[in-house]
Amino acid sequence: MRTALIALLGALAPLLATVLLTAPVASATPPGAASPAAIPAGTALAGATPPGAAPRQAPAVRAAALTEVTGFGSNPSNLQMYLYVPATVTARPAVLVAVHYCGGSGPVFHSGTEFASLADRYGFIVVYPSVTRASKCFDVSSPQALRRGGGSDPVGIRSMVDWATRTYSADTGRVYVTGASSGAMMTNVLLGDYPDVFTAGAAFMGVPFGCFATTDGSEWNSACANGTVSRTPAAWGDLVRGAYPGYSGPRPRMQLWHGTEDDILRHPNLGEEIKQWTNVHGLAQTPALTDAPQSGWTRTRYGSTGAQAPVEAISLQGVGHSLPAGGMAARAITFFGLDGGGSGPGPEPQPGTCRVTVTISAWNTGLTASVTVTNTGTAPVNGWKLGFTLPSGQTITSGWGATYAPATGAVTATNASYNGTIDPAAGVTIGYQANHGGGAAAPSAFTLNGTACTAT
């Protein structure tokens, strides 16, 4: 293990050499001391105080400077919390957790990446967890780390999120996580442990949830790092579902990045992550879109073709263990929707033509349905409602890619925030799980925004 960790740290040395280690870190103001430079009035850092409630005290956090926060809550592995609050934040701001690589720290990741400057531009808050154990690697391998509330690093990071959202009246529906290497592994872990906390993640050079699992206290799993661990999509998905048994809510979207020449966490891990997160979302392994946004890049999107697809993967030809590079953080912010993309008015009924394909997988008293809606018209569909009729005896118990109401009879599925646009000749895949009383037939009578669709 020690040899592998030394190799990892050695590989990161060139990256560390480029980091501005001298960037100032603001300390939290001690109780009773004068506050640092005040955050400008009107920036809505702590949100409006509810009528009749006592005024809330803003923490001693200097605007546009990194500050260490202590006493933020349960923290079984003694992580440090660093916070970056831009000079101007949006009302009910989003929160981004940015997780460093092995050998790094919160301040180093703050200085060496573009997330803080993007926060300045778009008004969200950034939390930088920082490891204090000797290896400076996050725990992504212990049994405690791989289950919700089990202890270790994920619990401490969850506490940081709770502190930030509570203190700044942040939007709990817009909490995101990103990370590089060990931080990318932690991104996978956090989305598995806390799918109800995080809306989406972006993992730069990571491995699937559970791939690094060990039972001997080791922090390193050579088979996983070398890309030799391969499982079926269902097996990978079961590892994620097992982290929070019984959870049936929406799953976070995932963006995955990996270089083909990565010799620390090898490129086959990208394919295994794709298997895992497409299965978690109930999606097929066939991309809805494949393109090349830059020379040497291959991007695949699963579940929809838009910028906020349920799963997006970017493979970078000839790139090693050196992500994120310039401009990639901005693409992650676009995937999250923090740059203003994906917002707009709700769906309106509109004319058009459509085709619906349904695949059913059934067992004794239950089934899952994968529903692909294709726009066969000549204009984009901007905001959609898919109507259909469930066979008698079927009741939807959970779904993904849309909200479903009611659970029986004539159902309407309404687009999610990330898949509301369907371009001509493009499609979006959604799905649901249902109970049945012996009849596992597909639904019928599909309409898209009130217009009848062809069922195939």
Side-chain angles (χ1 to χ4, degrees), residues 369-434:
S370 178
V371 182
T372 299
V373 185
T374 302
N375 178 5
T376 57
T378 59
V381 175
N382 295 308
W384 51 264
K385 293 179 181 290
L386 180 70
F388 56 88
T389 302
L390 284 177
S392 177
Q394 291 187 16
T395 301
I396 293 176
T397 56
S398 63
W400 50 92
T403 56
Y404 299 81
T408 61
V411 177
T412 298
T414 302
N415 68 270
S417 61
Y418 56 82
N419 62 3
T421 297
I422 311 178
D423 292 325
V428 60
T429 299
I430 63 175
Y432 59 85
Q433 183 168 313

Side-chain angles (χ1 to χ4, degrees), residues 12 14 61 67 163 191 228 236 293 295 324 331 353 363 369 371 427:
L12 289 170
V61 173
T67 304
W163 187 94
L191 295 196
T228 61
W236 281 125
S295 176
R331 289 181 180 268
T353 52
W363 58 94
V371 182

Side-chain angles (χ1 to χ4, degrees), residues 9-414:
L9 295 175
L12 289 170
L15 178 62
L16 291 170
T18 67
V19 173
L20 301 177
L21 295 174
T22 58
V25 178
S27 298
T29 302
S35 296
I39 296 170
T43 55
L45 276 180
T49 301
R56 300 176 63 179
Q57 295 297 315
V61 173
R62 185 180 302 167
L66 194 66
T67 304
E68 183 176 3
V69 176
T70 59
F72 50 83
S74 178
N75 184 23
S77 54
N78 195 34
L79 297 177
Q80 292 175 291
M81 174 184 175
Y82 293 89
L83 186 73
Y84 183 79
V85 180
T88 301
V89 298
T90 60
R92 298 194 70 229
V95 173
L96 173 64
V97 179
V99 193
H100 68 75
Y101 41 80
C102 276
S105 68
V108 167
F109 205 56
H110 163 78
S111 299
T113 61
E114 299 170 298
F115 295 111
S117 63
L118 290 163
D120 290 335
R121 186 183 310 171
Y122 297 117
F124 57 86
I125 293 169
V126 190
V127 173
Y128 295 94
S130 194
V131 171
T132 57
R133 65 176 61 88
S135 68
K136 302 298 182 182
C137 297
F138 285 92
D139 176 14
V140 296
S141 56
S142 74
Q144 292 77 22
L146 297 175
R147 69 176 186 270
R148 179 185 180 85
S152 197
D153 296 348
V155 169
I157 296 173
R158 165 70 188 275
S159 296
M160 297 177 196
V161 169
D162 289 346
W163 187 94
T165 56
R166 181 176 64 250
T167 302
Y168 292 100
S169 296
D171 186 347
T172 57
R174 295 194 302 148
V175 177
Y176 306 89
V177 59
T178 187
S181 191
S182 179
M185 299 188 216
M186 180 53 71
T187 297
N188 278 266
V189 168
L190 289 170
L191 295 196
D193 285 358
Y194 297 104
D196 54 334
V197 173
F198 294 96
T199 304
F204 293 88
M205 314 174 301
V207 304
F209 178 101
C211 185
F212 243 59
T214 60
T215 56
D216 60 359
S218 171
E219 296 180 32
W220 191 257
N221 185 316
S222 294
C224 179
N226 290 331
T228 61
V229 176
S230 179
R231 294 187 170 96
T232 66
W236 281 125
D238 286 344
L239 289 176
V240 172
R241 288 183 284 269
Y244 186 5
Y247 177 74
S248 60
R251 292 286 178 173
R253 296 179 295 111
M254 175 63 101
Q255 184 185 63
L256 304 163
W257 298 75
H258 224 112
T260 61
E261 301 306 309
D262 192 326
D263 59 356
I264 301 298
L265 300 172
R266 296 189 181 274
H267 185 260
N269 281 300
L270 176 63
E272 301 303 305
E273 287 177 296
I274 293 171
K275 288 182 191 177
Q276 183 169 68
W277 291 104
T278 52
N279 180 265
V280 166
H281 281 276
L283 303 174
Q285 299 293 296
T286 303
L289 171 76
T290 301
D291 66 357
Q294 287 189 200
S295 176
W297 292 21
T298 300
R299 178 172 63 188
T300 50
R301 288 173 173 166
Y302 303 82
S304 75
T305 60
Q308 294 169 21
V311 179
E312 177 177 274
I314 302 97
S315 176
L316 299 97
Q317 185 65 38
V319 174
H321 199 73
S322 57
L323 305 179
M328 294 179 186
R331 289 181 180 268
I333 295 306
T334 296
F335 178 75
F336 295 153
L338 294 180
D339 60 355
S343 60
E348 295 289 339
Q350 60 193 74
T353 52
C354 49
R355 182 176 67 251
V356 177
T357 303
V358 182
T359 302
I360 299 290
S361 298
W363 58 94
N364 293 341
T365 60
L367 62 85
T368 58
S370 178
V371 182
T372 299
V373 185
T374 302
N375 178 5
T376 57
T378 59
V381 175
N382 295 308
W384 51 264
K385 293 179 181 290
L386 180 70
F388 56 88
T389 302
L390 284 177
S392 177
Q394 291 187 16
T395 301
I396 293 176
T397 56
S398 63
W400 50 92
T403 56
Y404 299 81
T408 61
V411 177
T412 298
T414 302

